[in-house]
Amino acid sequence: MPYLTLSDTTTRIFYKDWGLPSGPVVTFSHGWPLSSDNFDAQLHFLASAGYRVIAHDRRGHGRSDQPWTGNDMDTYADDLHELFVALDLRDAVMVGHSTGGGEVARFVGRHGTARVRGAVLISAVTPLMVRTEANPEGTEMAVFDGFRAAMKKDRAQFFLDVPSGPFFGFNRPGAVTSRGMVESWFAQGMQASFVGAYECIKQFSETDFSEDLKKMEFPVLLLHGDDDQVVPIEAAAKKAVKLLPRGLLRVYPGAPHALPNVFADEVNRDLLGFIGSLKTA
């Protein structure tokens, strides 16, 4: 399995590099507390269509190392930039889901647009999740404090409750549930380090990505469900699209947070169409 040893020389991150080596590059940044495995439907689809797809496990998550330090958004973005440099990735389209959408935005905010030609933010935490005076549509801090308390009390049970309920929308009346999706989420979450997953809660909830979004001067597609119980659309995509110089929002009616899973075919179609449009733009 491929790993990159980061410049601190003590941390390695795992990554997948699938598809045609000479094909157009698409990178994937996963959500909390998951791993690159959560994008396998998209990775296989695009790799089969002639693209080179690259997805890493964020530090503290998946198969990557579990350092005690560096579990913050700036370092996540810097780690990803190191992977871009090590693999000499250029003209890439960056895809980020949930926390991964914030990672993509912070990557551009810290490292610019030279290696990127477009991005797709799926159910992303941008621009800011937590409620503040300036962000009254946000989620109360008590919710994220509850996440931390639940992790300390019984992480395993918490990591069953989230996918069994709001993440996939399985708590909605008439929802068709998937035990497989729940168990996959649980397995990925439990693979993460405790400190990595715990500290990431602060990063995805309290990081303000507003200035990062303003620097994303290339085309950006936002995909968001209007029944997202984890990252409500009113405080996220509908605000983010106004900050993006070239943003386009596609709303999935009635859809939950887990678009790459529950709406995999639709997401794949939208990714392929958007990436294809960049070739002729």
Side-chain angles (χ1 to χ4, degrees):
M1 296 190 295
Y3 284 86
L4 171 68
T5 301
L6 299 169
S7 59
D8 64 12
T9 70
T10 61
T11 304
R12 300 182 311 154
I13 58 171
F14 168 84
Y15 65 94
K16 301 176 182 180
D17 188 347
W18 295 0
L20 188 66
S22 60
V25 175
V26 187
T27 68
F28 290 81
S29 293
H30 63 79
W32 174 91
L34 305 173
S35 73
S36 57
D37 290 355
N38 202 54
F39 273 124
D40 275 356
Q42 287 71 48
L43 298 175
H44 181 263
F45 175 79
L46 289 177
S48 299
Y51 290 87
R52 181 186 181 188
V53 294
I54 295 166
H56 70 297
D57 292 354
R58 188 174 300 118
R59 65 167 56 211
H61 295 70
R63 287 139 293 202
S64 292
D65 286 347
Q66 302 185 356
W68 187 255
T69 60
N71 299 298
D72 60 84
M73 193 60 64
D74 286 353
T75 305
Y76 298 157
D78 293 349
D79 291 349
L80 181 54
H81 184 254
E82 284 199 44
L83 183 62
F84 264 67
V85 173
L87 299 180
D88 194 26
L89 304 181
R90 300 178 184 276
D91 206 29
V93 175
M94 301 183 74
V95 180
H97 174 243
S98 194
T99 300
E103 181 179 275
V104 169
R106 183 51 52 92
F107 175 101
V108 174
R110 288 177 67 82
H111 301 287
T113 61
R115 294 178 178 269
V116 188
R117 64 187 175 105
V120 183
L121 305 182
I122 306 173
S123 311
V125 298
T126 53
L128 174 63
M129 279 196 74
V130 72
R131 180 174 297 175
T132 64
E133 288 187 10
N135 187 43
E137 302 87 358
T139 302
E140 291 285 359
M141 179 64 79
V143 172
F144 306 114
D145 289 340
F147 287 0
R148 286 181 277 262
M151 277 198 67
K152 286 183 176 181
K153 181 180 180 181
D154 187 344
R155 175 169 70 144
Q157 185 60 52
F158 181 48
F159 280 10
L160 284 173
D161 292 342
V162 173
S164 297
F167 192 87
F168 295 106
F170 292 158
N171 57 336
R172 292 307 198 203
V176 178
T177 62
S178 166
R179 180 180 176 184
M181 287 186 185
V182 171
E183 293 191 1
S184 176
W185 200 101
F186 174 81
Q188 291 176 63
M190 293 302 293
Q191 194 176 28
S193 74
F194 190 97
V195 67
Y198 184 88
E199 293 189 355
C200 190
I201 295 171
K202 178 179 179 66
Q203 302 307 311
F204 72 65
S205 63
E206 298 181 45
T207 302
D208 189 339
F209 299 99
S210 298
E211 295 304 313
D212 302 307
L213 292 172
K214 294 175 185 178
K215 295 177 182 178
M216 299 176 74
E217 298 177 345
F218 41 67
V220 179
L221 175 64
L222 298 98
L223 306 178
H224 217 106
D226 65 8
D227 192 32
D228 190 327
Q229 301 170 71
V230 179
V231 184
I233 191 171
E234 296 295 337
K238 288 189 176 181
K239 297 184 74 171
V241 72
K242 297 176 182 178
L243 296 171
L244 290 161
R246 301 174 65 185
L248 174 66
L249 171 60
R250 179 172 187 272
V251 178
Y252 281 45
H257 188 62
L259 295 184
N261 314 102
V262 180
F263 285 82
D265 290 342
E266 293 86 344
V267 168
N268 290 347
R269 179 197 63 214
D270 285 340
L271 287 175
L272 190 63
F274 175 73
I275 297 168
S277 74
L278 297 179
K279 296 178 181 178
T280 58

Tab-separated table of all heavy atoms in Angstrom, residues 82-110:
chain	number	residue	atom	x	y	z
A	82	GLU	N	1.624	18.462	0.569
A	82	GLU	CA	2.828	17.627	0.447
A	82	GLU	C	2.583	16.450	-0.496
A	82	GLU	O	3.467	16.067	-1.267
A	82	GLU	CB	3.278	17.123	1.818
A	82	GLU	CG	3.972	18.175	2.669
A	82	GLU	CD	4.804	17.553	3.784
A	82	GLU	OE1	5.524	16.565	3.511
A	82	GLU	OE2	4.736	18.062	4.911
A	83	LEU	N	1.386	15.879	-0.435
A	83	LEU	CA	1.061	14.777	-1.338
A	83	LEU	C	1.010	15.273	-2.779
A	83	LEU	O	1.519	14.600	-3.688
A	83	LEU	CB	-0.279	14.162	-0.933
A	83	LEU	CG	-0.733	12.944	-1.734
A	83	LEU	CD1	0.255	11.788	-1.578
A	83	LEU	CD2	-2.141	12.498	-1.293
A	84	PHE	N	0.424	16.441	-3.009
A	84	PHE	CA	0.402	17.031	-4.347
A	84	PHE	C	1.825	17.199	-4.878
A	84	PHE	O	2.100	16.874	-6.041
A	84	PHE	CB	-0.281	18.403	-4.306
A	84	PHE	CG	-1.739	18.383	-4.660
A	84	PHE	CD1	-2.665	17.755	-3.839
A	84	PHE	CD2	-2.196	19.005	-5.814
A	84	PHE	CE1	-4.013	17.760	-4.148
A	84	PHE	CE2	-3.544	19.007	-6.143
A	84	PHE	CZ	-4.462	18.377	-5.313
A	85	VAL	N	2.710	17.716	-4.054
A	85	VAL	CA	4.087	17.960	-4.486
A	85	VAL	C	4.811	16.642	-4.729
A	85	VAL	O	5.513	16.469	-5.739
A	85	VAL	CB	4.830	18.808	-3.439
A	85	VAL	CG1	6.309	18.924	-3.791
A	85	VAL	CG2	4.206	20.202	-3.350
A	86	ALA	N	4.654	15.685	-3.813
A	86	ALA	CA	5.358	14.409	-3.938
A	86	ALA	C	4.947	13.662	-5.199
A	86	ALA	O	5.782	13.030	-5.857
A	86	ALA	CB	5.097	13.553	-2.701
A	87	LEU	N	3.666	13.738	-5.561
A	87	LEU	CA	3.163	13.045	-6.752
A	87	LEU	C	3.161	13.948	-7.981
A	87	LEU	O	2.760	13.527	-9.065
A	87	LEU	CB	1.746	12.517	-6.504
A	87	LEU	CG	1.592	11.506	-5.363
A	87	LEU	CD1	0.141	11.074	-5.234
A	87	LEU	CD2	2.495	10.301	-5.565
A	88	ASP	N	3.596	15.188	-7.801
A	88	ASP	CA	3.637	16.195	-8.869
A	88	ASP	C	2.273	16.321	-9.552
A	88	ASP	O	2.162	16.267	-10.780
A	88	ASP	CB	4.720	15.866	-9.896
A	88	ASP	CG	5.017	17.065	-10.813
A	88	ASP	OD1	4.796	18.221	-10.376
A	88	ASP	OD2	5.453	16.849	-11.955
A	89	LEU	N	1.248	16.489	-8.744
A	89	LEU	CA	-0.117	16.614	-9.259
A	89	LEU	C	-0.352	18.034	-9.757
A	89	LEU	O	-0.066	19.008	-9.053
A	89	LEU	CB	-1.132	16.283	-8.165
A	89	LEU	CG	-0.982	14.911	-7.505
A	89	LEU	CD1	-2.068	14.705	-6.466
A	89	LEU	CD2	-1.021	13.793	-8.546
A	90	ARG	N	-0.890	18.127	-10.961
A	90	ARG	CA	-1.148	19.433	-11.574
A	90	ARG	C	-2.501	19.415	-12.274
A	90	ARG	O	-2.989	18.373	-12.693
A	90	ARG	CB	-0.043	19.790	-12.580
A	90	ARG	CG	1.347	19.867	-11.952
A	90	ARG	CD	2.424	20.182	-12.988
A	90	ARG	NE	3.763	20.166	-12.386
A	90	ARG	CZ	4.308	21.188	-11.755
A	90	ARG	NH1	3.642	22.327	-11.660
A	90	ARG	NH2	5.528	21.102	-11.245
A	91	ASP	N	-3.082	20.585	-12.403
A	91	ASP	CA	-4.347	20.735	-13.133
A	91	ASP	C	-5.423	19.816	-12.554
A	91	ASP	O	-6.238	19.250	-13.289
A	91	ASP	CB	-4.122	20.430	-14.617
A	91	ASP	CG	-5.127	21.145	-15.505
A	91	ASP	OD1	-5.605	22.224	-15.113
A	91	ASP	OD2	-5.431	20.632	-16.599
A	92	ALA	N	-5.417	19.669	-11.239
A	92	ALA	CA	-6.306	18.718	-10.575
A	92	ALA	C	-7.678	19.322	-10.302
A	92	ALA	O	-7.826	20.537	-10.138
A	92	ALA	CB	-5.691	18.258	-9.255
A	93	VAL	N	-8.664	18.448	-10.237
A	93	VAL	CA	-9.976	18.800	-9.704
A	93	VAL	C	-10.036	18.188	-8.299
A	93	VAL	O	-9.840	16.983	-8.129
A	93	VAL	CB	-11.120	18.256	-10.575
A	93	VAL	CG1	-12.471	18.545	-9.911
A	93	VAL	CG2	-11.074	18.867	-11.964
A	94	MET	N	-10.301	19.013	-7.310
A	94	MET	CA	-10.329	18.569	-5.924
A	94	MET	C	-11.774	18.363	-5.488
A	94	MET	O	-12.628	19.232	-5.681
A	94	MET	CB	-9.651	19.590	-5.014
A	94	MET	CG	-8.207	19.878	-5.362
A	94	MET	SD	-7.423	21.047	-4.201
A	94	MET	CE	-7.214	19.988	-2.757
A	95	VAL	N	-12.039	17.206	-4.884
A	95	VAL	CA	-13.372	16.880	-4.386
A	95	VAL	C	-13.283	16.697	-2.880
A	95	VAL	O	-12.396	15.986	-2.387
A	95	VAL	CB	-13.912	15.589	-5.033
A	95	VAL	CG1	-15.312	15.268	-4.505
A	95	VAL	CG2	-13.918	15.704	-6.557
A	96	GLY	N	-14.179	17.330	-2.141
A	96	GLY	CA	-14.192	17.175	-0.698
A	96	GLY	C	-15.595	16.992	-0.168
A	96	GLY	O	-16.517	17.701	-0.560
A	97	HIS	N	-15.758	16.020	0.718
A	97	HIS	CA	-17.055	15.770	1.352
A	97	HIS	C	-17.000	16.190	2.812
A	97	HIS	O	-16.074	15.830	3.536
A	97	HIS	CB	-17.434	14.293	1.268
A	97	HIS	CG	-18.689	13.933	2.017
A	97	HIS	ND1	-18.693	13.073	3.083
A	97	HIS	CD2	-19.975	14.352	1.858
A	97	HIS	CE1	-19.933	12.958	3.544
A	97	HIS	NE2	-20.726	13.718	2.811
A	98	SER	N	-17.968	16.979	3.249
A	98	SER	CA	-18.123	17.367	4.645
A	98	SER	C	-16.849	18.058	5.151
A	98	SER	O	-16.460	19.099	4.628
A	98	SER	CB	-18.482	16.131	5.476
A	98	SER	OG	-18.953	16.480	6.738
A	99	THR	N	-16.162	17.480	6.131
A	99	THR	CA	-14.894	18.047	6.603
A	99	THR	C	-13.899	18.162	5.461
A	99	THR	O	-13.104	19.108	5.406
A	99	THR	CB	-14.317	17.179	7.731
A	99	THR	OG1	-15.248	17.132	8.815
A	99	THR	CG2	-12.988	17.726	8.226
A	100	GLY	N	-13.943	17.211	4.545
A	100	GLY	CA	-13.039	17.247	3.393
A	100	GLY	C	-13.257	18.463	2.524
A	100	GLY	O	-12.326	18.948	1.876
A	101	GLY	N	-14.499	18.976	2.472
A	101	GLY	CA	-14.744	20.211	1.736
A	101	GLY	C	-14.019	21.379	2.369
A	101	GLY	O	-13.470	22.245	1.675
A	102	GLY	N	-13.985	21.417	3.700
A	102	GLY	CA	-13.203	22.437	4.387
A	102	GLY	C	-11.721	22.287	4.123
A	102	GLY	O	-10.999	23.269	3.950
A	103	GLU	N	-11.253	21.044	4.077
A	103	GLU	CA	-9.842	20.788	3.798
A	103	GLU	C	-9.459	21.308	2.416
A	103	GLU	O	-8.381	21.908	2.246
A	103	GLU	CB	-9.569	19.287	3.892
A	103	GLU	CG	-8.134	18.884	3.648
A	103	GLU	CD	-7.952	17.386	3.795
A	103	GLU	OE1	-7.749	16.927	4.942
A	103	GLU	OE2	-8.051	16.663	2.782
A	104	VAL	N	-10.331	21.106	1.432
A	104	VAL	CA	-10.064	21.609	0.085
A	104	VAL	C	-9.986	23.130	0.089
A	104	VAL	O	-9.072	23.730	-0.497
A	104	VAL	CB	-11.147	21.121	-0.890
A	104	VAL	CG1	-11.042	21.840	-2.233
A	104	VAL	CG2	-11.045	19.615	-1.101
A	105	ALA	N	-10.931	23.776	0.762
A	105	ALA	CA	-10.926	25.239	0.821
A	105	ALA	C	-9.672	25.762	1.523
A	105	ALA	O	-9.036	26.720	1.046
A	105	ALA	CB	-12.182	25.737	1.539
A	106	ARG	N	-9.296	25.146	2.635
A	106	ARG	CA	-8.108	25.597	3.354
A	106	ARG	C	-6.832	25.324	2.549
A	106	ARG	O	-5.866	26.096	2.615
A	106	ARG	CB	-8.061	24.930	4.731
A	106	ARG	CG	-6.910	25.364	5.647
A	106	ARG	CD	-6.748	26.879	5.810
A	106	ARG	NE	-7.954	27.583	6.185
A	106	ARG	CZ	-8.316	27.854	7.438
A	106	ARG	NH1	-7.560	27.418	8.456
A	106	ARG	NH2	-9.417	28.548	7.670
A	107	PHE	N	-6.811	24.247	1.775
A	107	PHE	CA	-5.690	23.972	0.874
A	107	PHE	C	-5.472	25.161	-0.054
A	107	PHE	O	-4.350	25.648	-0.223
A	107	PHE	CB	-5.978	22.710	0.073
A	107	PHE	CG	-4.965	22.352	-0.982
A	107	PHE	CD1	-4.027	21.362	-0.750
A	107	PHE	CD2	-4.957	22.976	-2.223
A	107	PHE	CE1	-3.095	21.018	-1.726
A	107	PHE	CE2	-4.033	22.648	-3.204
A	107	PHE	CZ	-3.098	21.670	-2.952
A	108	VAL	N	-6.546	25.633	-0.669
A	108	VAL	CA	-6.430	26.765	-1.590
A	108	VAL	C	-6.061	28.027	-0.834
A	108	VAL	O	-5.222	28.823	-1.288
A	108	VAL	CB	-7.747	26.958	-2.366
A	108	VAL	CG1	-7.690	28.216	-3.229
A	108	VAL	CG2	-8.030	25.739	-3.238
A	109	GLY	N	-6.635	28.215	0.336
A	109	GLY	CA	-6.316	29.402	1.121
A	109	GLY	C	-4.861	29.480	1.512
A	109	GLY	O	-4.288	30.584	1.580
A	110	ARG	N	-4.241	28.337	1.757
A	110	ARG	CA	-2.842	28.319	2.203
A	110	ARG	C	-1.846	28.117	1.061
A	110	ARG	O	-0.708	28.583	1.146
A	110	ARG	CB	-2.636	27.210	3.244
A	110	ARG	CG	-3.265	27.534	4.583
A	110	ARG	CD	-3.121	26.399	5.571
A	110	ARG	NE	-1.756	26.144	5.993
A	110	ARG	CZ	-1.123	26.832	6.938
A	110	ARG	NH1	-1.698	27.858	7.538
A	110	ARG	NH2	0.113	26.498	7.306
